Amino acid sequence: MKILIVEDERKIREWVAKALREEGFVVDAVSDGNDAYELLGTHSYDGAVFDIMVPGKDGLSLLKAIRREGNNLPVLFLSARGEWDDRVEGLNLGADDYLSKPFHVDELVARLRAICRRSSGDHLNVIESGPVRMNVATREVSVDGKGIDLTSREFALLEILIRSPGRVFTRTQILDRVWDYDFDPQTNLVDVYVRKLRAHLGSDHRERIETVRGVGYRYNAVPHG
């Protein structure tokens, strides 16, 4: 999942971004609400963390602006102790959850996952398609009942493919969702990771990740042939 962090305290911003990346998220992090608003107009995110008090558009103004435009992005607010009125206003404006500072980063990650799942209609942690079973909460994957070990990037790549069987994802779309958006689109990184995933699936199922020549890749729940 791709997450936007809007936090002007550098240590908190870097700490949260690092924790999310370690959990396999792709993260954009900015300190200014105006910069965040521009990113939200040009990039797609699965969730966001807004601090209430940031320069430019504050968190409340930013949320109000995107909700007015019909953007239902799941948003978790961060607020200092004593900002009760702001938290209430944020929830009334359409925030999905909030945490008071100081907070435990594990709780932030868990709450962020929860609001993203609720927003996508995915109330279950388990995805099953063909022989593959993924547990998003525990990060466990099995093929034909046998567990396989995936890196965070391999897991993220398999997840976006398996959630939309039959849909073709371009290499640029995959780079945007699995890695940072500013990766060189000419890189062969996607192809390298697809080869790794096929190896993990084994010779009986490697064809489930199909190459669409000149476009990208798709996952076939029922392979051709």
Side-chain angles (χ1 to χ4, degrees):
M1 291 187 286
K2 189 169 185 178
I3 304 298
L4 175 64
I5 299 171
V6 189
E7 168 60 68
D8 63 329
E9 295 185 48
R10 182 179 59 82
K11 288 185 178 179
I12 294 177
R13 184 174 66 251
E14 293 177 354
W15 175 54
V16 172
K18 181 175 183 291
L20 289 174
R21 287 177 178 129
E22 288 174 349
E23 290 292 324
F25 292 89
V26 174
V27 179
D28 288 340
V30 296
S31 61
D32 184 282
N34 293 337
D35 292 339
Y37 186 68
E38 288 186 14
L39 283 175
L40 287 164
T42 56
H43 294 85
S44 176
Y45 295 94
D46 298 293
V49 179
F50 290 176
D51 185 21
I52 290 179
M53 300 301 294
V54 292
K57 286 184 183 295
D58 61 47
L60 294 172
S61 299
L62 184 58
L63 179 65
K64 186 182 297 185
I66 67 172
R67 290 294 187 257
R68 188 168 55 239
E69 294 168 358
N71 187 334
N72 293 317
L73 175 75
V75 173
L76 171 69
F77 261 137
L78 298 179
S79 65
R81 291 189 186 278
E83 293 178 348
W84 174 255
D85 290 343
D86 286 339
R87 292 201 298 268
V88 171
E89 184 179 356
L91 291 171
N92 286 333
L93 287 172
D96 298 89
D97 202 352
Y98 73 88
L99 272 178
S100 294
K101 298 177 181 178
F103 55 86
H104 292 286
V105 72
D106 288 346
E107 182 179 5
L108 182 145
V109 172
R111 285 174 178 266
L112 192 55
R113 285 192 189 281
I115 65 173
C116 290
R117 286 198 303 270
R118 289 198 300 268
S119 173
S120 67
D122 177 23
H123 299 280
L124 300 175
N125 290 324
V126 176
I127 308 166
E128 293 188 75
S129 186
V132 181
R133 185 177 190 273
M134 303 182 73
N135 188 312
V136 177
T138 64
R139 315 289 290 176
E140 294 175 322
V141 182
S142 62
V143 179
D144 288 332
K146 295 182 61 176
I148 60 174
D149 292 325
L150 300 182
T151 66
S152 60
R153 299 302 185 199
E154 290 168 349
F155 188 97
L157 174 56
L158 180 59
E159 183 180 359
I160 69 164
L161 292 173
I162 204 172
R163 279 190 184 277
S164 302
R167 174 182 170 182
V168 178
F169 288 90
T170 67
R171 289 171 176 81
T172 300
Q173 288 173 326
I174 292 172
L175 283 169
D176 182 60
R177 298 182 71 84
V178 180
W179 288 273
D180 290 333
Y181 68 88
D182 56 355
F183 258 98
D184 179 0
Q186 301 303 316
T187 179
N188 69 341
L189 193 61
V190 173
D191 307 286
V192 170
Y193 271 77
V194 165
R195 286 198 295 271
K196 290 181 178 181
L197 270 185
R198 285 171 171 161
H200 284 300
L201 293 178
S203 57
D204 290 341
H205 302 299
R206 59 185 299 116
E207 74 278 6
R208 288 182 182 274
I209 300 179
E210 180 184 354
T211 300
V212 181
R213 291 190 181 279
V215 184
Y217 296 97
R218 67 182 164 204
Y219 179 88
N220 289 304
V222 180
H224 300 305

